[in-house]
Amino acid sequence: GGDTRYDSELHDKRRVMNLVRIANKFLNDNKVDRKTYISLASQRLATKEIGHQEAMYALYDSKDSLLYIGWARHISQRLGAHYISYTNTQDFKNQIAYAKYTFRLEQLRNEYNKFIQLKHPDIEVSDLEYFTIRTLNPKHNKVKSEETMLKYI
């Protein structure tokens, strides 16, 4: 049961590559590595330098493999939680080499929608984090069930 158009979207390799390109274009807006973050934090400059606002972010290891996608209300604090303290990424904390992030969330949503709606005019991305997780397929995100996902399109 359910609406499978969204899944066919993700199985069409060429279309997926376009969605991946869109996601990466935005995530490439900003980048901070672990050492820089810790140095900024030790000088109490992390919030000033990285930003306090809402963002979508991606965590990578030293070989540029995507580990995790997340959304943060306050990006600087959230990255600190990943790099320094305890969070849901505790199991692979030591693998995290750097983070990329974007503040342009509405523009990202609009670009996804513009692309998807060329083929499916009635579909909109409502859960931006979830759609990006499905698109980029990071190693450590736990994904909601298919049925739950279908409500988001």
Side-chain angles (χ1 to χ4, degrees), residues 2-10 120-123 150 153:
D3 185 341
T4 58
R5 288 172 302 172
Y6 181 72
D7 283 332
S8 68
E9 197 64 16
L10 287 167
H120 304 296
D122 53 334
I123 290 182
L150 293 171
I153 57 169

Side-chain angles (χ1 to χ4, degrees), residues 104-116:
R104 298 183 299 143
L105 303 182
E106 279 315 300
Q107 293 99 310
L108 174 56
R109 186 191 313 278
N110 292 341
E111 287 216 22
Y112 280 153
N113 284 335
K114 206 160 58 181
F115 180 76
I116 291 167

Side-chain angles (χ1 to χ4, degrees), residues 27 43 49 51 59 74-75 80 89 92 96-97 116 136 140 148:
L27 287 168
Q43 302 167 67
E49 294 294 321
L59 305 177
H74 305 296
I75 185 63
T89 55
F92 58 93
I96 302 168
I116 291 167
L136 296 178
H140 291 285
T148 313

Side-chain angles (χ1 to χ4, degrees), residues 51-68:
H52 188 59
Q53 63 266 58
E54 191 181 353
M56 173 94 64
Y57 63 92
L59 305 177
Y60 298 84
D61 68 16
S62 57
K63 296 184 176 79
D64 302 320
S65 297
L66 177 60
L67 299 172
Y68 186 84

Side-chain angles (χ1 to χ4, degrees), residues 31-43 46 50 58-62 67 79-85 87 89-101:
K31 181 177 175 179
V32 62
D33 62 54
R34 174 195 294 273
K35 205 169 130 190
T36 304
Y37 183 90
I38 290 170
S39 166
L40 288 169
S42 71
Q43 302 167 67
I50 289 160
L59 305 177
Y60 298 84
D61 68 16
S62 57
L67 299 172
L79 292 181
H82 288 299
Y83 283 136
I84 297 165
S85 59
T87 180
T89 55
Q90 188 62 22
D91 296 348
F92 58 93
K93 179 172 80 171
N94 295 329
Q95 294 172 39
I96 302 168
Y98 64 93
K100 291 179 175 182
Y101 55 100

Side-chain angles (χ1 to χ4, degrees), residues 104-143:
R104 298 183 299 143
L105 303 182
E106 279 315 300
Q107 293 99 310
L108 174 56
R109 186 191 313 278
N110 292 341
E111 287 216 22
Y112 280 153
N113 284 335
K114 206 160 58 181
F115 180 76
I116 291 167
Q117 288 166 5
L118 292 171
K119 198 170 173 182
H120 304 296
D122 53 334
I123 290 182
E124 280 196 351
V125 173
S126 58
D127 188 330
L128 194 57
E129 178 187 10
Y130 187 55
F131 189 84
T132 305
I133 290 167
R134 286 298 306 250
T135 299
L136 296 178
N137 203 13
K139 195 171 167 184
H140 291 285
N141 284 88
K142 291 175 178 59
V143 184

